[in-house]
Amino acid sequence: MTKRPLLEQHDTDILILGTGGAGLFAALHAQQTAPAGTRITIAVKGLLGKCGCTRMVQGGYNVALGGGDTVERHFMDTIKGGKWLPNQEMAWKLCEQAVVRIRELENEVGCFFDRNPDGTLHQKAFAGQTADRTVHKGDLTGIEIINRLMEQVLSRPVEKLQEHRAIGLIPSVDGKALSGVLMIDMRRGTLRFVRAKAVLMATGGGPTMYKYHTPSGDKTMDGLAMALRAGLPLRDMEMVQFHPTGLMAGKGTKMTGTVLEEGLRGAGGHLLNGNGHRFMFDHDRLGERATRDVVSRGIYAEMRKSNQAPHRGMFISMAHLGPDLVRQKFKGMVKRCADSGFDLAAGKVEVVPTAHYFMGGVVVDADTRTALEGLYVAGEDAGGAHGSNRLGGNGVANSTVYGGVAGDVMGRDVAAIKALRDPDLSVLDAEIDRVMHPLSRKPGDIQGLRDVLQETMWDHAGVTRTGAGMKRGLAKLSEIGGELMEMGVAGDDLAFNLTWHDWLNLRSLCDISEVITRAGLARENSRGAHFREDFPEQGDLDQSYFTVAKRSGDGVEIERAPVEFTIVRPGQSVLPEGEPETLVGAAE
Amino acid sequence: MLTLRLYMLQRLSALVMAPLTLGHIATMIYAIQGGLSAEEILSRTRGSVVWMLFYGSFVVAVSLHAAIGLRVIIAETFAMRGRRLDALTLTIGLVLLVMGMRAVYAVTAP
Amino acid sequence: MSDGLRDLEVTVWRGREAAGSYQRFSVPRQESQTVLDVIAWIQQNADPTLSYRYACRVGMCGSCAMTVNGKPRWTCRTHVSKVVKGDRLEVGPLRNLPVIKDLAVDMDPFFDKWVAAEGVFHPEKSRHDPIEPVRPTSEQRVVADRGIECINCAVCYASCDTVSGNPDYLGPAALNRAWTLYNDQRDGDRRGILDAVSGSGGCHNCHSQGSCTLYCPNELDPLGSIAGLKRATVRRAFGMEG
Amino acid sequence: MRPHRQHPLWFAFILHRLSGLALALFLPLHFYVMALALNAPEKLDGFLHWAEAPLVKFAEFGLVFLLAVHIFGGLRLLALELLPWSGRQKTLAATAVSLSFLLSVGFFLRAI
Ligand SMILES: Cc1cc2nc3c(=O)[nH]c(=O)nc-3n(C[C@H](O)[C@H](O)[C@H](O)COP(=O)(O)OP(=O)(O)OC[C@H]3O[C@@H](n4cnc5c(N)ncnc54)[C@H](O)[C@@H]3O)c2cc1C
Ligand code: HEM
Ligand code: SF4
Ligand code: F3S
Ligand code: FES
């Protein structure tokens, strides 16, 4: 057994994991509500504000700001988009608080969003919305949001632990509350245990166990894997959103899987198969303009039929709109494609559905509290707000709204907590053993194994699923997991040792892949992002249930829990009588 | 190293010098073309208040300008900072000023 | 896929701040391949201890910048064919920042300066106020928009010899941010920004070398922004607004 | 030369710096020679004769050249910094100015 590195101790009052929209907002709000003198620490796997997906938000931020649009309408779109599975209290708070948050972003944080010629905020409609609701900054909205948040946090007395990776939630001695978080100081390769009175987990999920995926490289489901080990219930874990048009540039490049923006289809882009046939109308009457899940399934079905394209994807073609117009309207996208050797404006670019967002997550209440005292969860790590499908533009609204809520709640809660809690040393030891495990094994091909995992999930628990397929997938997953435990990492220099982290990434991904697949098996109908060829119907809406996964012994147990229609029941609406179905002009 | 004040002094002195230097070169070219001897040049400048002001302001400007310019080069190349750098800047400026003024006096004193 | 193409000969900087050297690797060439892909290939297939940093892989996070054949670049968006010299590629860490290990640098000084330049919005209003109408075509806004899409990749910072010579110099990115904010009509402390950029590490140290503007992968113009700050500070010194 | 420096604006910078440095080093010398007028006029005259020698002429040419380079480089900088011009205009202006300057210097030097 390799020698254990020194375990450093560190204490703080509020500990925040992750610096996406959720983590950074939590830091700002905690600072505003916590009693003076409260120590706030923010720990992140990469550099502060420079990792995670909030930065990668392109399209924008959903918020009802009048002009006919209302919180009620936003709420109804969210519920319907989520196919009646969302936690309605959470969805309501999301829509209601987004209004406050966007003003905060503009007035206090300093974000500048695109304006109409008269100076008011510009809003557009994403697919699945009944109003022009999405606030944006060109198609680089996330950069504006995160850069401004990052500046605010950097300029405040918040302690930062950069390139610190959370690897285990350590409960208190009595097991009733959270004591702190075990971390790796990645730069030095040492271990550090940080105790805190309140911990926010905002590590942002990230379905990167699929062959094609959009999220940033640092996101590997660490948070949910930690929560699972800590015995917390996870909901909606079968719900993986695929974006229909990821770039297909071959296996050897990280460019593969990255998003070609939604707007390309909205603007009239064509999706073609290897024979040049425009196939989407074979699948849906809206053709390329159908919602994400429908188009993803259309492309996936077509891929299974024909194998002509070099890497087996389909093509997006914009040239018929006039290359110059495309170049002008989608400047960033054209440049990005050109950088990887593709001509989006005049040629065609190979695309493939790509895993984009994870609707599942830790069960929380609308105040971000979890079943474990002292642990709060917000952003993509939290389940419930989106149900089975997330509307474009609701992701960043969710992380910023609930990050702020978490900051407020933690700031108030810590005032009542007198002392830090001592850790359960047996759990701490077990977690340390877990991360040190690979260092005493013979090095192996970790990336190769991750490729196998990604193929497996893509084939068996991907865009469309079957019971038999998922069972085969589970068998494969258990093989992969076993193989990983036999595979090691050279442990002589742990400082900035990415290969060690690759191993840990794969460990988290394997754990959550199993949960996704088991939850997929447990849902015997098709809702939103989850489509089963053997159960294509959506099932009785009134009897809607969501899945809840929990660790049991060494395995995972899935239960079904009934959705509580606390605000609106299927078939009803909170919109006033006589409101039009949609406010979006037929033109778009 | 360069604060707003030093920056402005350097830019302003440059602005002052630009016409002066061009004027100086033009005069010299004219003078040398005519094959003037030292005696002849001096006879024209000696006792001339205009020339004294002309060269005097050049010397003041260039002392400021070059001292600040050298200060930047020294700081960036030799990582000199603080008091020592200030002292050196001042010394360079004073040396240039004194030598320059002596020259102006020599050329324009009656 | 690598048929017809010869392997790349890649030399990569290994080691920490003071002690280090270039190490040679042979990497199979591919049709679609960025410099980041090359580095990742080395770590995954040739030397598992190679350290580097990336996150978004699409040019949004600014974590992957390195020195490629002597020039600072975002590696995730730099196609190998654009920079390769023959079959050779030399990759080192960014200049002007402390090296943590191999290709990863400590970016803290860069962000400390960002804050020191007052590159932080100074609110006058709160979340309870309506959002301020701003005409997108107003002169000031157009200027602000020109510099706003910075991803803080530090490519400009690494390219600037003034930063190398003067460690106090705030650098192009921080000053570009300050200029953008100065032109934001919503900002509540525009005078404070001018004060912050007028000190001994301020905008007046820039020699207009222009490397920042040349290498900025997002086609921003820090050189122009810094000139703007110089103008604004001089104008204020002459009592003309501020 | 380090690859990141290989572009016109950096060349302009280093040219300006080197010319400024050279001028600053020459200036005390120049002042010294001029001061001779007061103390030892005959030496000055000798100096001026000596200045007719080709090598010295060449050095003088170099000096005027440096001065011109520095002044126009300086004017370019001042324009760039103080006039809110667009980048393109600045480049145009700089080219125009430097061309006209090169012509005029060449002209003057030939006339000498
Ligand atoms: C390409 C792309 C485009 C998108 N476009 C849109 C859009 O237009 N509109 C929209 O609403 N949503 C969009 N989304 C979704 C949106 O980005 C997310 O919903 C949201 O930003 C998630 O925020 P977060 O704070 O929960 O997580 P993130 O922003 O992902 O942040 C997670 C943070 O946790 C850190 N972390 C991870 N693991 C650990 C660990 N073990 N220890 C410490 N830190 C850790 C990460 O490094 C990161 O800092 C998009 C997503 C992608 C990938
Ligand atoms: C004979 C006289 C002059 C001498 C000895 C001189 C010397 C110098 C020196 C040493 C520098 C520093 C260079 C650097 O920082 O890299 C400098 C900079 C400068 N000079 Fe001159 N100079 C002279 C005349 C002029 C004139 C006439 C102008 C005007 C147009 C001018 C404009 C400038 C400017 C703008 C700078 C700043 C350069 C920068 O910050 O990058 N100089 N000068
Ligand atoms: S200005 Fe350009 S080069 Fe500099 S940090 Fe910003 S994006 Fe990078
Ligand atoms: S490279 Fe440096 S010197 Fe100025 S113009 Fe850019 S900051
Ligand atoms: S990895 Fe994000 S900019 Fe390159």
Side-chain angles (χ1 to χ4, degrees):
Chain A
M1 183 78 202
T2 335
K3 264 206 336 250
R4 279 190 180 187
L6 200 67
L7 179 67
E8 293 169 85
Q9 309 268 353
H10 192 79
D11 287 345
T12 186
D13 294 315
I14 295 178
L15 172 64
I16 294 162
L17 307 177
T19 62
L24 292 177
F25 249 111
L28 288 184
H29 276 231
Q31 238 227 337
Q32 291 158 5
T33 50
T38 303
R39 293 165 297 179
I40 301 174
T41 302
I42 189 158
V44 56
K45 202 172 175 181
L47 297 180
L48 194 139
K50 292 176 77 67
C51 46
C53 290
T54 309
R55 216 179 218 286
M56 299 168 73
V57 163
Q58 300 184 319
Y61 191 115
N62 283 351
V63 53
L65 291 173
D69 196 14
T70 56
V71 170
E72 284 78 4
R73 183 175 283 279
H74 185 184
F75 172 76
M76 283 312 296
D77 286 349
T78 302
I79 298 296
K80 285 188 192 157
K83 301 287 184 274
W84 294 93
L85 295 193
N87 172 316
Q88 299 197 348
E89 303 298 329
M90 287 175 74
W92 179 262
K93 195 165 188 168
L94 163 64
C95 301
E96 184 186 54
Q97 290 299 309
V99 180
V100 182
R101 206 61 89 237
I102 204 77
R103 288 198 301 253
E104 188 178 353
L105 279 166
E106 264 270 347
N107 296 349
E108 296 180 32
V109 177
C111 295
F112 185 82
F113 298 110
D114 283 0
R115 299 295 207 267
N116 294 311
D118 69 354
T120 55
L121 276 192
H122 180 254
Q123 290 179 284
K124 59 181 184 181
F126 257 132
Q129 293 183 29
T130 63
D132 290 334
R133 172 179 300 143
T134 309
V135 172
H136 62 109
K137 173 88 191 75
D139 56 4
L140 299 172
T141 312
I143 297 179
E144 177 68 1
I145 292 178
I146 288 293
N147 275 351
R148 303 296 79 91
L149 280 169
M150 175 188 83
E151 294 162 3
Q152 296 293 335
V153 171
L154 285 175
S155 67
R156 284 174 166 72
V158 171
E159 181 189 35
K160 40 179 185 160
L161 298 175
Q162 299 189 93
E163 283 164 341
H164 274 62
R165 171 183 197 159
I167 49 179
L169 301 174
I170 312 298
S172 58
V173 181
D174 62 10
K176 287 197 187 115
L178 186 66
S179 163
V181 179
L182 179 64
M183 299 196 203
I184 299 174
D185 174 345
M186 298 165 72
R187 294 181 182 175
R188 294 189 296 146
T190 51
L191 295 177
R192 178 171 266 180
F193 177 59
V194 182
R195 288 195 305 172
K197 292 173 182 166
V199 175
L200 172 68
M201 193 166 90
T203 62
T208 53
M209 66 285 278
Y210 289 88
K211 188 171 165 188
Y212 309 106
H213 58 256
T214 67
S216 57
D218 48 301
K219 297 225 299 186
T220 54
M221 293 283 184
D222 289 348
L224 296 188
M226 287 192 292
L228 182 72
R229 284 201 302 283
L232 288 155
L234 310 177
R235 63 170 287 176
D236 298 323
M237 293 295 283
E238 69 279 23
M239 299 301 179
V240 182
Q241 181 172 70
F242 284 82
H243 193 291
T245 52
L247 179 67
M248 176 78 109
K251 186 168 168 289
T253 176
K254 292 184 189 300
M255 280 275 177
T256 289
T258 57
V259 171
L260 293 184
E261 67 180 68
E262 202 106 65
L264 295 172
R265 285 181 293 122
H270 290 171
L271 287 170
L272 308 175
N273 68 13
N275 303 321
H277 170 61
R278 196 175 162 200
F279 59 87
M280 262 320 290
F281 284 98
D282 305 347
H283 299 270
D284 195 276
R285 107 195 127 75
L286 289 175
E288 286 89 357
R289 296 191 199 209
T291 49
R292 277 181 189 172
D293 50 335
V294 174
V295 181
S296 294
R297 283 197 288 276
I299 295 180
Y300 187 71
E302 208 68 23
M303 285 171 69
R304 286 206 294 190
K305 270 196 274 174
S306 66
N307 294 340
Q308 284 121 332
H311 314 291
R312 297 179 53 206
M314 292 293 122
F315 294 98
I316 190 161
S317 164
M318 307 296 296
H320 58 282
L321 299 171
D324 288 332
L325 181 86
V326 178
R327 248 175 241 123
Q328 171 215 331
K329 202 164 168 192
F330 298 100
K331 187 162 164 264
M333 228 52 245
V334 170
K335 184 161 173 263
R336 193 194 280 181
C337 286
D339 284 350
S340 38
F342 301 104
D343 184 357
L344 178 65
K348 41 184 199 169
V349 177
E350 194 171 353
V351 293
V352 63
T354 175
H356 187 46
Y357 184 88
F358 197 62
M359 275 75 72
V362 179
V363 174
V364 293
D365 66 13
D367 282 334
T368 72
R369 292 197 179 91
T370 67
L372 184 63
E373 188 186 323
L375 180 69
Y376 304 73
V377 178
E380 203 173 322
D381 272 346
H386 311 295
S388 70
N389 212 352
R390 171 189 67 97
L391 296 182
N394 265 5
V396 61
N398 177 63
S399 60
T400 52
V401 162
Y402 281 106
V405 169
D408 290 338
V409 172
M410 291 191 298
R412 284 195 293 268
D413 284 1
V414 287
I417 304 173
K418 294 284 160 301
L420 290 163
R421 309 171 191 101
D422 284 327
D424 180 335
L425 291 177
S426 65
V427 180
L428 187 60
D429 272 349
E431 287 288 339
I432 294 176
D433 284 347
R434 212 182 58 85
V435 292
M436 302 310 287
H437 176 91
L439 304 178
S440 55
R441 298 288 184 289
K442 219 169 113 256
D445 179 9
I446 296 168
Q447 186 57 36
L449 192 61
R450 182 157 171 181
D451 290 345
V452 177
L453 171 74
Q454 292 181 337
E455 289 283 350
T456 304
M457 289 302 283
W458 173 254
D459 287 340
H460 300 302
V463 178
T464 63
R465 302 159 174 184
T466 64
M470 285 186 282
K471 283 190 187 125
R472 275 198 301 279
L474 279 176
K476 281 292 293 204
L477 287 176
S478 115
E479 270 172 42
I480 297 167
E483 228 175 289
L484 180 62
M485 293 310 277
E486 293 311 314
M487 192 176 277
V489 172
D492 18 319
D493 186 0
L494 295 182
F496 227 119
N497 187 325
L498 296 181
T499 307
W500 185 24
H501 291 283
D502 285 345
W503 191 97
L504 293 166
N505 288 343
L506 190 49
R507 188 65 260 168
S508 298
L509 288 174
C510 282
D511 292 350
I512 297 305
S513 294
E514 184 189 337
V515 183
I516 291 175
T517 314
R518 286 196 189 282
L521 272 170
R523 173 168 295 285
E524 297 189 321
N525 57 32
S526 295
R527 292 274 179 108
H530 174 75
F531 185 84
R532 281 189 63 164
E533 287 175 346
D534 47 353
F535 294 98
E537 302 304 325
Q538 64 175 4
D540 184 357
L541 288 182
D542 276 313
Q543 301 297 316
S544 294
Y545 58 86
F546 61 92
T547 62
V548 180
K550 237 182 132 165
R551 196 195 63 182
S552 88
D554 273 346
V556 176
E557 207 170 70
I558 312 282
E559 283 174 12
R560 295 175 179 177
V563 175
E564 291 177 35
F565 301 113
T566 51
I567 298 175
V568 62
R569 297 198 66 83
Q572 297 175 342
S573 173
V574 294
L575 287 176
E577 202 74 41
E579 273 283 303
E581 186 68 24
T582 177
L583 304 172
V584 182
E588 259 299 305
Chain B
M1 247 161 333
L2 259 197
T3 53
L4 172 60
R5 182 129 49 96
L6 288 175
Y7 168 86
M8 296 227 304
L9 277 176
Q10 209 204 19
R11 279 4 180 214
L12 282 176
S13 56
L15 276 176
V16 169
M17 275 190 299
L20 294 182
T21 329
L22 290 175
H24 177 64
I25 298 181
T27 323
M28 284 305 117
I29 287 171
Y30 167 76
I32 291 170
Q33 240 180 347
L36 293 183
S37 71
E39 208 53 47
E40 287 164 306
I41 295 177
L42 291 177
S43 67
R44 295 187 186 192
T45 53
R46 286 226 158 106
S48 158
V49 180
V50 175
W51 283 117
M52 187 186 281
L53 285 179
F54 185 95
Y55 286 118
S57 44
F58 174 81
V59 165
V60 172
V62 86
S63 308
L64 276 170
H65 180 88
I68 299 172
L70 289 176
R71 168 194 173 86
V72 174
I73 297 181
I74 291 165
E76 285 181 13
T77 318
F78 305 107
M80 192 188 284
R81 294 286 183 280
R83 286 258 191 81
R84 282 182 54 189
L85 184 61
D86 291 341
L88 192 62
T89 313
L90 200 67
T91 315
I92 295 173
L94 284 177
V95 168
L96 284 177
L97 190 68
V98 170
M99 288 185 73
M101 282 308 178
R102 256 167 47 103
V104 173
Y105 182 72
V107 183
T108 60
Chain C
M1 269 258 300
S2 37
D3 0 63
L5 293 169
R6 293 208 311 200
D7 281 1
L8 291 166
E9 253 194 57
V10 189
T11 46
V12 180
W13 178 260
R14 302 305 305 276
R16 297 188 163 76
E17 188 71 41
S21 60
Y22 279 94
Q23 194 181 334
R24 183 179 298 261
F25 297 95
S26 186
V27 179
R29 187 114 184 231
Q30 294 199 333
E31 203 183 326
S32 290
Q33 189 177 33
T34 63
V35 174
L36 178 63
D37 293 328
V38 169
I39 296 303
W41 189 95
I42 294 173
Q43 179 247 329
Q44 284 161 1
N45 299 283
D47 186 340
T49 63
L50 178 63
S51 306
Y52 58 101
R53 184 187 287 129
Y54 81 97
C56 72
R57 71 211 156 94
V58 285
M60 294 180 106
C61 71
S63 344
C64 67
M66 301 171 200
T67 309
V68 183
N69 283 348
K71 294 178 180 171
R73 301 200 178 265
W74 55 3
T75 55
C76 70
R77 287 276 297 269
T78 301
H79 201 279
V80 167
S81 62
K82 271 206 199 120
V83 286
V84 74
K85 288 232 172 77
D87 299 315
R88 283 214 303 277
L89 217 51
E90 184 194 272
V91 187
L94 275 189
R95 290 167 74 236
N96 295 342
L97 288 164
V99 178
I100 297 175
K101 181 170 172 279
D102 301 344
L103 303 173
V105 295
D106 180 0
M107 293 189 78
D108 280 355
F110 175 82
F111 285 106
D112 291 346
K113 289 178 180 180
W114 188 289
V115 174
E118 284 300 333
V120 181
F121 184 71
H122 312 91
E124 271 187 323
K125 296 188 172 165
S126 83
R127 62 197 82 164
H128 309 297
D129 300 309
I131 288 170
E132 188 166 327
V134 179
R135 281 184 190 280
T137 48
S138 74
E139 207 179 313
Q140 240 191 348
R141 192 62 230 173
V142 171
V143 175
D145 281 343
R146 227 177 266 148
I148 203 169
E149 276 169 10
C150 169
I151 58 168
N152 24 75
C153 62
V155 161
C156 54
Y157 188 83
S159 76
C160 174
D161 285 345
T162 307
V163 174
S164 333
N166 180 0
D168 295 335
Y169 177 46
L170 294 170
L175 292 170
N176 175 69
R177 174 66 188 135
W179 173 241
T180 302
L181 258 187
Y182 178 72
N183 284 288
D184 189 332
Q185 66 176 63
R186 305 167 308 155
D187 194 88
D189 190 17
R190 298 170 60 227
R191 300 183 66 90
I193 295 172
L194 290 189
D195 290 340
V197 300
S198 297
S200 67
C203 63
H204 306 103
N205 291 283
C206 163
H207 301 292
S208 305
Q209 286 171 7
S211 302
C212 51
T213 295
L214 182 69
Y215 293 109
C216 172
N218 284 315
E219 294 166 10
L220 303 188
D221 179 18
L223 162 73
S225 300
I226 296 169
L229 285 174
K230 289 174 178 166
R231 261 193 320 274
T233 49
V234 169
R235 265 210 312 271
R236 184 172 67 155
F238 283 118
M240 297 150 68
E241 82 198 59
Chain D
M1 171 168 308
R2 314 273 294 266
H4 75 275
R5 295 179 174 160
Q6 295 169 10
H7 61 92
L9 281 184
W10 198 87
F11 292 139
F13 153 76
I14 199 64
L15 207 63
H16 190 66
R17 170 158 288 189
L18 291 177
S19 58
L21 186 61
L23 287 175
L25 295 180
F26 156 78
L27 205 60
L29 209 76
H30 184 62
F31 287 156
Y32 172 76
V33 171
M34 284 300 132
L36 288 179
L38 193 64
N39 311 324
E42 64 298 339
K43 266 206 212 160
L44 179 66
D45 235 357
F47 180 84
L48 286 182
H49 277 300
W50 182 59
E52 292 291 308
L55 192 74
V56 183
K57 259 223 126 65
F58 183 73
E60 228 171 61
F61 165 86
L63 213 66
V64 176
F65 180 74
L66 281 180
L67 194 57
V69 162
H70 189 80
I71 292 177
F72 284 97
L75 286 175
R76 177 193 72 94
L77 272 178
L78 286 170
L80 188 140
E81 290 178 348
L82 298 178
L83 306 173
W85 287 352
S86 77
R88 233 177 92 76
Q89 279 171 311
K90 274 173 213 164
T91 327
L92 282 177
T95 344
V97 166
S98 37
L99 275 181
S100 60
F101 130 74
L102 278 175
L103 282 176
S104 51
V105 169
F107 188 80
F108 272 121
L109 285 172
R110 286 215 9 216
I112 300 178

